[in-house]
Amino acid sequence: MAAGGIMNGRHALEKLEAGAALVQLYSGLIYRGPALVAEVAEALRQARRT
């Protein structure tokens, strides 16, 4: 599980590619708000297409 410092979709993808099965967005939600969830979801969709 990756926790802390995930502030955008790229950060989440990096953690998942490094072997994490889950990412915790708590800190990112505090600073960026719920739009972060949509950004991470879009980054995951884009990564699956490639």
Side-chain angles (χ1 to χ4, degrees):
M1 180 173 174
I6 300 169
M7 299 294 184
N8 58 45
R10 182 180 50 84
H11 289 157
L13 280 174
E14 288 172 357
K15 303 290 187 182
L16 292 168
E17 289 171 352
L22 299 169
V23 292
Q24 180 184 34
L25 301 177
Y26 185 77
S27 297
L29 285 172
I30 298 295
Y31 292 102
R32 300 266 328 273
L36 175 62
V37 177
E39 182 180 335
V40 169
E42 182 60 26
L44 292 174
R45 274 196 235 47
Q46 293 293 327
R48 286 185 181 165
R49 290 181 190 163
T50 59

